[in-house]
Amino acid sequence: MRRPALLDDPKRELWLAWYATIAFYTLYTVVFFIITRTQPPGKAWYTPTQVVGWFASRHEGLLIGFGLIFILGGLSATSIALITYSIRRMSVSRVFAYSYLIIYAVSAVPGFLFICVAMTVGAFRPGRDPEILRWIYDLGFLSFSGTMGVFLIGSLIWMVAILLDKNRVFPAWFGYLNLCNALTEVVVAPSWIFHTGVFAWNGVIAWWINVVVFGLYTGAFIFLLRNMILREDFGTGPLPDLLPPEGRGRMLAEFMSP
Amino acid sequence: MTTTERAVSPVPEQSPSEHVPGGRDIWFFVLFESLAFTAYFCVYLFNRTQHEQVFLLGQSHLLLWLGVLETIVLLTSSWAVASCVQDARAGRYDASKREALLTAGFGALFLVLKVIEWVRLIHAGHTFTSSEFFQYFFFLTVIHCIHLLIGFVVLGVLWYQLSDQKRRSQPTVEICATYWHSVDFFWVLIFALLYVVR
Amino acid sequence: MENGFNKRIFVAWLILVAISLVYLWIDHSATHQGIPTASTVVTVVAICFALIKVRIIMREFMEVRGAPRFLRRLTDYWVVLMAIALFGVYFVGIAVA
Amino acid sequence: MKRTGGERIIFWALPAVAVIWIVAFFLFPGFLPPMSPEWSAQRVAAFYADHTSRIRYSMILFNWFCVALIPILMLIVERMRGMAHRTPILRYCVIGVAGAAPIAFLTATIFWLLAAFRPHRAPALTQLYNDLGWITFTCGVPFLVALCLFLTVAIYLDGQARPVFAQWVGHFNFMIAIALMPAGFAGLTLSGPFAWNGFLSFWVKNLAIAVWLVVMAVVLGQSIGRDRLAEQISA
């Protein structure tokens, strides 16, 4: 029986993670921008009655779209794992890699699970008191945009790692782009304060400009992760399963292990 | 023109027209971040034209001379770090270190002036949420000051590079200086837009 | 010249400071009895001066003057780009208002 | 390589923690039978008023001990070191979801505890907390699904003569991932198999989690035991 080529590729784990990353971000974009239409976000200045209308106009979209995230949202871990791996390949302490991993792993709950739960709760029981519905609406959007510190510190950690790295796993310009991305988390802070205007969670500065920077940043790192995998050289040595049984893949595992 | 003068020419000696100060990567940052700032400025200018009176009224509470003083202080720190780069390139590390300290000193002075200005405005009742003009004023000045604070970290790196013979790397010195200059010219733009534009 | 004092960047600094001081005078011209008034001329001049300062900082302080052509061009384009963006938004804003 | 000690302590803590989970599960009056999403706000409020103590104590137990899942998952991560992988990517993937999975459940316990904290408030608010608790609990499966999928891939790629976990454990994890998926759509309906008290979203999902724990505990124990034996022989 012939095995598919991917399974014999020494980089198969990296490619799987990379394609899963692509799949995740595609799903994310489709769900947030098309199915649920929660991006661009609803208006921060909506009255309770308008919030009722907002939920009514996308009832099915919210429930189906966020249902998809409930099923596959955990794939976000693949990009985090790839980035952690990239930091492990750099000539810096493992502290950077582990800090990045744990920060982004934790950020998933307030960063995107909360909005999914809030919008699902808001949509699934029509006829709720409009004031309560607006409370849910605020919870959804503010937890999503307003989870700031994890991405701020996470980007800075990645930046420092890239700038210190002597293996040139990532180009320095991307290190600086991390700083730009971290600063967007500063710029989004006023959305906790304003209901209207450019600094509200749907405002020109707090949302539109930030989302452009974040989009460029995400696109850049997905592209650069691909380059990293392409450049990765595992050689043509024997796969671990061909090592003597007592080795049990340990040699390689230890070499690669934290 | 003496020979010494040529040696300290701002253009580095090894291939003059091949040298990108600090390398290309930091320029990516400078240009990208200027785009982000330009975007903020555009939003500000557009809203300004829509509510002209509110902005003019808010602006009348600023002290222009203080803004000018802050600008000159920051320009001077920029001058100091530019000299620092040239002295480091010429191997005059003592002078270079002195100028790095001077840069940080003027940067700190700018920060002190900025804090005095904020405190004065807040005491007069002008806060982040008090009017549309002051929303932009505090947003732009604070985000600029965050860049400045990062700049102090960058100057720390610069100092660390200069203080030990083994570590001295001219590209890193140039990267640090390029960052600091970009903080300077962001302020030049912010100053013109917040204090002078009518 | 033993101390390595560079006259060129000193002159650049002087020009930058001078432009900053000119702002005081510009501002004076657009204030009537202590109340600032809207003025397109002041706005355009202020932004132009700021962009000129940016270019001087880039050319002299940031050493773009001695940099390869692409960087000299790129930084100039960038200043032009900022000018187009700022003036474009400003005049569109006035037209809309 | 000499394994540093303590793994067996973590492993045998699992049955003890499982007992607490089971006790808490039966103590919470809303699980057997599961509360219906169709209940009116008044009925939900009355339920919290009538069963305040049992709700509080069961959820305090869950709040304390749900995070005990993390050490178990870390045991699996340590076993994954022995797999014939060229990179630690899949371990990082598992670590990446290992924290969020129990924290999502912890969030649900917080909403339930809040609902029971002032049961005599306006019924609509108690219903809101109840909804938030149930939706977080039922729909909050993305990290568990991803965990099972990552383990599936990891086991399939572990092509050694004597793999850490047998192939069927991979198939098993994949099936569990499928079984957990319908729960993600619990928001779509207030009744039927997809509702949060329905056959798929409640019974299949929670049974899948229970079966997953039992099966993974057994294979984990076997794997750890095999390694200890190998060490004793070589020592």
Side-chain angles (χ1 to χ4, degrees):
Chain A
M1 195 178 88
R2 268 186 63 80
R3 280 145 61 94
L6 180 66
L7 288 182
D8 291 327
D9 187 341
K11 301 173 183 174
R12 58 195 185 181
E13 295 139 36
L14 297 172
W15 283 122
L16 279 172
W18 190 78
Y19 282 108
T21 300
I22 296 278
F24 171 76
Y25 277 104
T26 309
L27 172 84
Y28 203 73
T29 311
V30 169
V31 166
F32 277 91
F33 283 83
I34 299 170
I35 303 182
T36 64
R37 287 182 289 135
T38 42
Q39 300 284 312
K43 306 287 183 278
W45 42 263
Y46 270 178
T47 61
T49 334
Q50 285 171 308
V51 170
V52 173
W54 186 89
F55 272 105
S57 72
R58 55 201 78 204
H59 178 82
E60 266 81 26
L62 289 173
L63 296 173
I64 293 171
F66 287 132
L68 289 171
I69 298 277
F70 282 135
I71 289 178
L72 295 170
L75 290 182
S76 64
T78 53
S79 65
I80 301 169
L82 261 181
I83 293 166
T84 305
Y85 174 77
S86 79
I87 303 177
R88 284 278 281 110
R89 298 281 288 104
M90 297 176 189
S91 63
V92 295
S93 163
R94 289 165 186 175
V95 171
F96 289 90
Y98 296 157
S99 305
Y100 187 91
L101 176 60
I102 203 70
I103 284 175
Y104 273 77
V106 166
S107 71
V109 173
F112 79 77
L113 191 69
F114 276 16
I115 186 176
C116 299
V117 168
M119 294 306 175
T120 303
V121 167
F124 102 117
R125 193 186 294 287
R128 219 188 275 275
D129 177 3
E131 283 286 351
I132 293 181
L133 202 60
R134 188 168 68 169
W135 183 90
I136 297 170
Y137 178 79
D138 289 349
L139 170 66
F141 282 121
L142 282 173
S143 63
F144 185 67
S145 304
T147 300
M148 304 175 288
V150 280
F151 303 106
L152 173 71
I153 303 298
S155 303
L156 290 180
I157 286 172
W158 199 10
M159 174 193 79
V160 174
I162 293 171
L163 295 182
L164 291 177
D165 172 35
K166 291 189 174 63
N167 301 342
R168 306 280 297 161
V169 176
F170 274 84
W173 64 262
F174 183 74
Y176 301 123
L177 190 58
N178 268 292
L179 183 59
C180 302
N181 185 58
L183 286 165
T184 64
E185 299 295 335
V186 176
V187 171
V188 82
S191 66
W192 284 103
I193 300 170
F194 295 104
H195 300 164
T196 57
V198 296
F199 297 112
W201 79 55
N202 63 319
V204 176
I205 288 181
W207 194 79
W208 289 93
I209 295 178
N210 273 1
V211 93
V212 169
V213 174
F214 180 74
L216 291 171
Y217 172 77
T218 308
F221 80 65
I222 290 178
F223 172 74
L224 290 171
L225 284 172
R226 180 173 169 275
N227 277 357
M228 175 191 79
I229 301 172
L230 286 174
R231 278 190 285 116
E232 201 69 286
D233 183 15
F234 290 134
T236 49
L239 265 172
D241 53 338
L242 302 178
L243 291 171
E246 61 268 26
R248 296 232 314 148
R250 281 270 173 72
M251 276 166 62
L252 195 83
E254 261 168 67
F255 169 69
M256 293 307 303
S257 70
Chain B
M1 280 285 165
T2 60
T3 42
T4 39
E5 172 120 16
R6 193 171 304 137
V8 298
S9 129
V11 181
E13 293 123 69
Q14 78 282 18
S15 43
S17 64
E18 290 300 306
H19 178 76
V20 176
R24 292 179 183 211
D25 299 275
I26 188 67
W27 281 95
F28 173 85
F29 170 81
V30 171
L31 298 181
F32 190 91
E33 202 61 6
S34 3
L35 276 190
F37 267 106
T38 307
Y40 302 147
F41 298 154
C42 287
V43 175
Y44 162 78
L45 271 180
F46 183 82
N47 279 307
R48 190 183 167 99
T49 57
Q50 306 306 301
H51 315 277
E52 213 162 54
Q53 289 309 314
V54 179
F55 279 80
L56 283 172
L57 185 67
Q59 207 171 18
S60 69
H61 299 292
L62 299 182
L63 293 177
L64 181 68
W65 64 265
L66 187 55
V68 171
L69 182 62
E70 286 164 356
T71 310
I72 293 173
V73 166
L74 207 53
L75 284 171
T76 312
S77 79
S78 230
W79 175 32
V81 82
S83 310
C84 167
V85 170
Q86 296 189 350
D87 281 331
R89 187 176 295 134
R92 290 185 297 266
Y93 287 104
D94 285 336
S96 183
K97 276 157 74 177
R98 213 165 39 237
E99 280 145 352
L101 276 185
L102 215 57
T103 309
F106 279 107
L109 181 60
F110 176 88
L111 194 63
V112 169
L113 290 172
K114 204 79 234 159
V115 171
I116 290 173
E117 191 182 15
W118 283 333
V119 170
R120 182 186 152 269
L121 286 168
I122 290 167
H123 273 297
H126 305 295
T127 62
F128 192 31
T129 49
S130 68
S131 83
E132 210 184 338
F133 174 76
F134 281 102
Q135 264 181 40
Y136 289 100
F137 176 83
F138 280 103
F139 169 71
L140 288 173
T141 52
V142 168
I143 195 89
H144 177 262
C145 267
I146 290 171
H147 282 79
L148 187 82
L149 292 176
I150 298 167
F152 286 121
V153 177
V154 171
L155 287 181
V157 173
L158 176 66
W159 180 261
Y160 180 79
Q161 289 279 330
L162 292 174
S163 59
D164 190 330
Q165 238 169 345
K166 279 169 291 198
R167 284 194 291 261
R168 281 169 192 161
S169 121
Q170 188 61 22
T172 312
V173 170
E174 287 173 10
I175 287 171
C176 297
T178 304
Y179 178 86
W180 190 265
H181 292 306
S182 70
V183 174
D184 183 28
F185 82 67
F186 294 151
W187 172 255
V188 163
L189 289 165
I190 291 172
F191 167 72
L193 290 169
L194 286 178
Y195 292 73
V196 192
V197 156
R198 285 294 149 78
Chain C
M1 283 295 173
E2 270 316 306
N3 60 358
F5 181 79
N6 187 305
K7 209 193 277 174
R8 194 179 169 101
I9 57 169
F10 173 66
V11 172
W13 176 80
L14 270 183
I15 295 170
L16 289 168
V17 170
I19 297 176
S20 307
L21 289 171
V22 167
Y23 279 134
L24 284 171
W25 176 76
I26 296 176
D27 181 75
H28 192 68
S29 71
T31 306
H32 296 292
Q33 288 139 9
I35 301 152
T37 46
S39 162
T40 304
V41 178
V42 170
T43 303
V44 172
V45 171
I47 294 175
C48 279
F49 275 178
L51 290 170
I52 291 169
K53 282 165 79 178
V54 168
R55 187 168 186 278
I56 295 176
I57 292 172
M58 283 177 163
R59 294 296 274 207
E60 303 299 330
F61 285 177
M62 299 171 97
E63 302 184 337
V64 170
R65 201 169 56 94
R69 226 164 88 117
F70 87 88
L71 192 63
R72 280 179 290 161
R73 285 280 179 82
L74 196 61
T75 48
D76 283 348
Y77 287 148
W78 231 253
V79 173
V80 172
L81 187 73
M82 286 194 258
I84 292 171
L86 295 177
F87 289 130
V89 163
Y90 178 68
F91 287 112
V92 166
I94 285 182
V96 171
Chain D
M1 182 180 87
K2 189 97 181 89
R3 238 167 228 289
T4 42
E7 284 195 359
R8 286 207 306 162
I9 296 177
I10 301 271
F11 179 76
W12 286 109
L14 175 62
V17 172
V19 169
I20 297 172
W21 287 338
I22 292 165
V23 167
F25 185 87
F26 282 98
L27 189 60
F28 182 61
F31 280 154
L32 289 173
M35 300 165 72
S36 166
E38 288 178 302
W39 286 5
S40 68
Q42 280 68 28
R43 185 160 173 202
V44 172
F47 181 84
Y48 278 91
D50 294 345
H51 302 284
T52 316
S53 302
R54 278 181 64 189
I55 295 168
R56 284 177 182 163
Y57 296 127
S58 60
M59 282 304 149
I60 286 173
L61 277 178
F62 268 133
N63 195 296
W64 281 344
F65 288 102
C66 66
V67 180
L69 182 66
I70 293 180
I72 309 296
L73 297 180
M74 291 306 119
L75 273 187
I76 296 180
V77 169
E78 277 305 292
R79 303 316 300 166
M80 288 172 73
R81 277 177 197 273
M83 290 182 174
H85 297 164
R86 285 185 183 265
T87 63
I89 278 278
L90 285 159
R91 281 210 322 276
Y92 293 163
C93 286
V94 172
I95 294 173
V97 292
I103 296 299
F105 181 68
L106 185 101
T107 311
T109 70
I110 288 175
F111 287 130
W112 275 318
L113 282 168
L114 277 168
F117 187 64
R118 293 185 207 278
H120 297 291
R121 65 165 84 74
L125 289 175
T126 303
Q127 187 188 36
L128 171 67
Y129 280 133
N130 184 54
D131 287 348
L132 284 168
W134 272 99
I135 292 291
T136 311
F137 168 68
T138 310
C139 298
V141 291
F143 310 108
L144 290 175
V145 172
L147 172 70
C148 292
L149 291 179
F150 293 147
L151 286 176
T152 307
V153 173
I155 293 166
Y156 286 167
L157 292 182
D158 181 20
Q160 308 173 82
R162 278 184 3 211
V164 174
F165 297 124
Q167 285 268 309
W168 68 264
V169 185
H171 306 323
F172 168 75
N173 267 285
F174 187 70
M175 276 155 48
I176 295 292
I178 301 290
L180 291 173
M181 285 182 178
F185 292 105
L188 272 169
T189 171
L190 298 178
S191 59
F194 281 95
W196 80 42
N197 65 339
F199 175 72
L200 291 172
S201 295
F202 186 81
W203 297 106
V204 169
K205 176 208 148 198
N206 291 315
L207 269 175
I209 294 174
V211 171
W212 185 85
L213 276 168
V214 171
V215 170
M216 288 313 285
V218 171
V219 295
L220 200 56
Q222 285 171 346
S223 172
I224 293 177
R226 256 202 322 271
D227 260 32
R228 279 178 59 82
L229 206 65
E231 261 167 38
Q232 280 160 7
I233 290 168
S234 66

